[in-house]
Amino acid sequence: MGGSFNPAHPGHRHVAQRALHMLRLDQVWLLVSPGNPLKPRAGMAPFAERLASATAIGDGVRVIATGIEAAIGERYSARTLERLSQLFPRTRFVWIIGADNLWQLPRWRQWRDLARRTPIAVLPRPGWTRKALQGAAAATLRRARRAPAALLQAPDAGWALIPAREHPASATALRRAAARRAETPAAAEAAEPLFVAGMRR
C-alpha cells in the first residue's frame, strides 16, 4: 500500500485492516514514498517524519510501515513492484489503492504493466468511488475486474473494489488543521493528538 503518508492517519489504518480481512492477507506493508512524482514537493514533510507517522498507525506485525522504496531507489509503483517481486520471489503482492488513485491511474508510469502483473485492491474514498468506477482506468481494465473473493483465486492479475465504509480522514485536512494550530499556539496546546501509537487501523 504505497503513499506519501503526509501524514499517515486513521483512514490509512482503516484501509489496511479492511484489506487484511477481506483478502485474507498475511501482511499489509505501508510503503512510504521517498517522493511521489505526481505530488508537489511544497508542503511535503521530511521522509523520516512521514515514515514515523506510518509506523505509528501500524502494529509492527500485520500492518508494517517500511521505507523500502527509498532503500531500493524507486519511486514509481510499477518498478517498485517489479523489484519487490525479485527480492521476494515466493511472495504474491497485491497493490492496495484508494478510489482516487484508480481514477488517476492512467497518469502513472507503466500503469498497464502494473495492472497486468499485480492484483489491485481498490478501496472506496469519499467523493471518488463512483467517479473512479466510471473513469478511464476502470474502462480499460473492465474485463479484468473481479469479485473481491476471487481477486487472489485467479492465476492472472485483476482488480476488485473492496466493500468498505468510506473513511472521512484526509491528510490534506490534517495538514491544514496543523497549520491553523501553528498559527494559534494556545489552541495547539489544547488540541487532541493526531496519532495514537500502537493503534491498529
Side-chain angles (χ1 to χ4, degrees):
M1 177 175 156
S4 297
F5 298 99
N6 187 40
H9 54 69
H12 294 126
R13 184 168 55 242
H14 166 72
V15 166
Q17 289 187 330
R18 188 62 178 165
L20 275 171
H21 173 72
M22 290 296 297
L23 299 177
R24 298 184 179 183
L25 303 178
D26 296 310
Q27 292 180 328
V28 170
W29 295 359
L30 307 177
L31 298 173
V32 181
S33 173
N36 187 328
L38 296 178
K39 291 188 177 180
R41 293 185 179 182
M44 189 65 65
F47 175 75
E49 185 177 319
R50 294 184 287 111
L51 180 59
S53 78
T55 300
I57 66 163
D59 62 10
V61 179
R62 301 291 302 280
V63 180
I64 300 171
T66 175
I68 195 170
E69 272 197 304
I72 63 177
E74 297 291 357
R75 62 183 61 212
Y76 292 100
S77 300
R79 297 201 323 225
T80 294
L81 284 163
E82 184 177 11
R83 186 76 179 109
L84 289 177
S85 294
Q86 294 168 354
L87 292 171
F88 305 96
R90 298 177 62 185
T91 300
R92 187 175 189 194
F93 288 97
V94 182
W95 197 237
I96 302 169
I97 61 175
D100 54 329
N101 280 317
L102 177 63
W103 167 259
Q104 71 165 353
L105 200 57
R107 297 178 59 199
W108 291 20
R109 181 176 292 190
Q110 298 176 306
W111 72 276
R112 287 183 176 85
D113 291 337
L114 186 159
R116 184 169 53 251
R117 293 193 304 256
T118 309
I120 300 174
V122 181
L123 277 293
R125 283 288 308 273
W128 287 99
T129 307
R130 187 183 301 272
K131 181 179 178 181
L133 293 176
Q134 297 172 349
T140 300
L141 302 173
R142 64 187 178 279
R143 293 184 180 178
R145 187 171 179 181
R146 309 277 186 265
L151 182 62
L152 298 181
Q153 304 305 316
D156 59 335
W159 68 280
L161 179 67
I162 308 301
R165 66 181 175 86
E166 294 182 340
H167 197 286
S170 159
T172 301
L174 289 174
R175 289 195 302 274
R176 288 175 180 163
R180 286 194 297 271
R181 284 195 301 276
E183 293 171 2
T184 55
E189 291 176 6
E192 292 292 328
L194 289 178
F195 307 108
V196 180
M199 284 185 61
R200 294 189 64 190
R201 177 188 271 172

